[in-house]
Amino acid sequence: MHFGFTDARRSAILSACMFRGPRPSTHALSLALACAIGLASPAPAAAELHAPLGDPSASELAEARARYQAGNAAADAGEFADALEDFVRAFELSGNPAALYNAARTLRSLGRHVDARDAFDQLLTQFPDVSDATRAEARNLREEEASRIATLRLLELPTPSEALVLRIDGTVRLDGGRRPFVLEVDPGRHGVVVTLEHFRPFAWEGEIAPGGAEALTVRLDPEPTASSESILEEPALWIVVGVVVVAGAVIGGYFAWDSAQLRPESQDVIRL
Amino acid sequence: MIRRLSQLALALVLTGCAENAVLEVELTLPAQPATGAPLFAYVQARSADVVSFDEAWAGTDAIDGRALETAVSMLPFSVVAGGASFTRQLGVRIRFCASRDCTGLGDDRAPEVRYRIQRAFYQGHRTRVALVIDAVPAPPPPIGAPITDIDKCDVEGCTTGTTSTYCFMNGHHFCED
């Protein structure tokens, strides 16, 4: 099975991301995340890469072939993001497992281990007819990728509600309600922010090693009451307080200073 | 305004410290001359590096004219000074005028007595001096009329009892820091 890439066509990223259809629970994250690598942030929704429902037309096969070859060229050039677009599109058009395999390996090269494992899983479960050699290689790579995946556990997370918002690396994550909340992530630096109405946000940022596990206890402290906050944060209040304090100090200081001055003994006074 | 605020700020820092100085003057006025119109003693004081009496002291603070009495009388008054005047000379001018405010006809040539005190003020201290005028001088005052100079060591202050001088042997006044 060959491995290569072509020129970047950013508009194809979006189309390649538009997967539809049933989503097996074992594939929590899918190629949809990876194919959005050219976007500002990966798509949070989980989906798997889909082959066409019916037989592809001749023109679709021709395009798939061209995209597959382009993907190989891009991969050879080290342009893995572009290669991923082409392999994803080639698979969508043709349903050829070679395109899925190359997409999985491209995800691996990109360091997207969660997505790569899921892509290998998809290949192994949906394409039993691939050669034994390819299956064995895919299985080895799948295990290798799985061993690199890290886990993020959020402990004491409140029960799901519309007011509870969970963001991982800036992206809102769906909260299925399972506690503790466990998320598979690629090794590296991650950020977690949990917000809940009337509570101060919980935030964490840190590095997770390959295969590592990070457990975070989410502590949400209630915000101060609106009334006290509004008063204390009112600039006019502090301006008034400042003016009163300064005026008091000046007046007090003046009287203290004045009382210390020498008083003339006579009623008739000349002041120089 | 800025000066006022600066003074207030300084006052806050120096709260408890007197910034002024007061000279208490005990002035002995002569009796009203037997002849002539009633006279008023009009007292002015000003400080300067070198006090000059050659010009009129227009705008200088003064004490309301005091009518001379048939006998010798006392006119105590106080002179209050700030920082700028501490090291300067103090001039005291007593004019004998026909009007209380010394603006009457002929008062521009009224006879006068002049005193020049070498140094009268020391910050935070009260000093005293006694000036005695035996008689009203003859009018009009000649240009360059005599000035009675008073040495700083003759200005009483910062001691009790009686002493012939108010300076240390090194010439420093008792009130000098």
Side-chain angles (χ1 to χ4, degrees):
Chain A
M1 191 169 286
H2 196 69
F3 197 52
F5 276 105
T6 184
D7 295 338
R9 277 168 285 184
R10 193 154 295 278
S11 60
I13 300 176
L14 294 173
S15 62
C17 288
M18 299 175 68
F19 303 118
R20 293 180 180 81
R23 294 178 293 179
S25 61
T26 53
H27 296 166
L29 292 176
S30 75
L31 295 176
L33 295 174
C35 72
I37 197 164
L39 303 176
S41 61
E48 68 178 22
L49 186 59
H50 288 285
L53 294 176
D55 291 335
S57 65
S59 62
E60 287 175 331
L61 285 176
E63 183 186 349
R65 195 174 298 114
R67 298 298 293 266
Y68 184 82
Q69 290 171 349
N72 284 338
D76 286 344
E79 299 168 348
F80 296 112
D82 293 336
L84 182 61
E85 298 174 36
D86 289 320
F87 290 136
V88 168
R89 184 58 184 155
F91 181 70
E92 283 183 324
L93 291 168
S94 66
N96 192 308
L100 179 58
Y101 178 85
N102 277 13
R105 289 197 57 161
T106 307
L107 288 166
R108 180 173 180 270
S109 297
L110 288 167
R112 305 193 67 87
H113 305 296
V114 176
D115 299 331
R117 180 204 59 187
D118 292 346
F120 283 123
D121 278 341
Q122 184 178 357
L123 178 73
L124 293 169
T125 56
Q126 295 183 4
F127 297 92
D129 297 335
V130 296
S131 69
D132 290 343
T134 300
R135 176 172 293 279
E137 188 176 357
R139 190 174 287 117
N140 287 340
L141 291 173
R142 188 268 175 204
E143 294 307 316
E144 193 177 302
E145 291 305 284
S147 69
R148 291 173 176 166
I149 294 171
T151 57
L152 195 57
R153 297 164 63 88
L154 302 186
L155 309 176
E156 300 184 16
L157 196 64
T159 54
S161 69
E162 288 187 358
L164 179 67
V165 179
L166 174 60
R167 287 184 176 81
I168 309 292
D169 299 332
T171 302
V172 176
R173 298 285 180 165
L174 294 176
D175 180 10
R178 178 178 290 181
R179 296 292 183 269
F181 183 93
V182 180
L183 184 68
E184 289 182 322
V185 294
D186 292 315
R189 192 154 194 86
H190 293 280
V192 176
V193 176
V194 179
T195 56
L196 181 61
E197 201 171 336
H198 304 311
F199 286 84
R200 294 182 187 281
F202 168 83
W204 175 87
E205 187 177 346
E207 195 86 17
I208 305 179
E214 187 71 40
L216 304 177
T217 300
V218 178
R219 296 193 186 283
L220 296 172
D221 298 324
E223 288 179 337
T225 59
S227 58
S228 62
E229 186 180 47
S230 62
I231 290 174
L232 293 177
E233 291 185 357
E234 185 61 48
L237 171 71
W238 294 109
I239 291 172
V240 170
V241 169
V243 168
V244 169
V245 168
V246 170
V250 169
I251 292 171
Y254 174 77
F255 281 112
W257 169 83
D258 189 55
S259 64
Q261 302 311 302
L262 292 177
R263 305 287 177 191
E265 292 178 351
S266 174
Q267 297 289 328
D268 294 312
V269 178
I270 294 175
R271 296 185 185 278
L272 301 180
Chain B
M1 185 64 181
I2 292 175
R3 188 179 171 191
R4 281 277 184 199
L5 290 173
S6 301
Q7 289 174 340
L8 284 175
L10 186 61
L12 290 174
V13 174
L14 299 175
T15 296
C17 300
E19 289 185 68
N20 63 351
V22 177
L23 172 69
E24 304 292 352
V25 181
E26 192 171 284
L27 176 61
T28 302
L29 293 174
Q32 168 68 34
T35 59
L39 295 177
F40 295 87
Y42 185 77
V43 181
Q44 290 177 292
R46 68 161 34 176
S47 67
D49 291 332
V50 178
V51 173
S52 171
F53 293 89
D54 292 340
E55 74 279 354
W57 286 3
T60 301
D61 200 8
I63 295 174
D64 288 342
R66 178 72 55 89
L68 297 184
E69 300 176 10
T70 54
V72 170
S73 60
M74 303 298 297
L75 173 56
F77 64 93
S78 303
V79 184
V80 179
S85 301
F86 292 160
T87 56
R88 292 172 151 185
Q89 294 180 349
L90 176 69
V92 180
R93 188 174 217 165
I94 302 102
R95 301 171 68 192
F96 296 92
C97 301
S99 64
R100 187 176 293 277
D101 58 359
C102 214
T103 57
L105 187 64
D107 283 342
D108 57 327
R109 294 186 299 116
E112 66 179 50
V113 175
R114 302 165 176 176
Y115 292 99
R116 184 166 55 203
I117 304 174
Q118 181 186 5
R119 180 173 177 179
F121 302 105
Y122 301 90
Q123 181 179 356
H125 295 292
R126 189 185 306 277
T127 50
R128 299 176 188 279
V129 69
L131 308 178
V132 179
I133 303 175
D134 295 325
V136 176
I143 294 175
I147 301 171
T148 303
D149 281 303
I150 300 175
D151 190 82
K152 70 174 184 178
C153 296
D154 294 327
V155 177
E156 180 184 342
C158 300
T159 187
T160 56
T162 304
T163 178
S164 60
T165 179
Y166 295 92
C167 284
F168 295 103
M169 291 182 70
N170 62 5
H172 288 183
H173 194 275
F174 291 158
C175 294
E176 285 187 77
D177 294 327

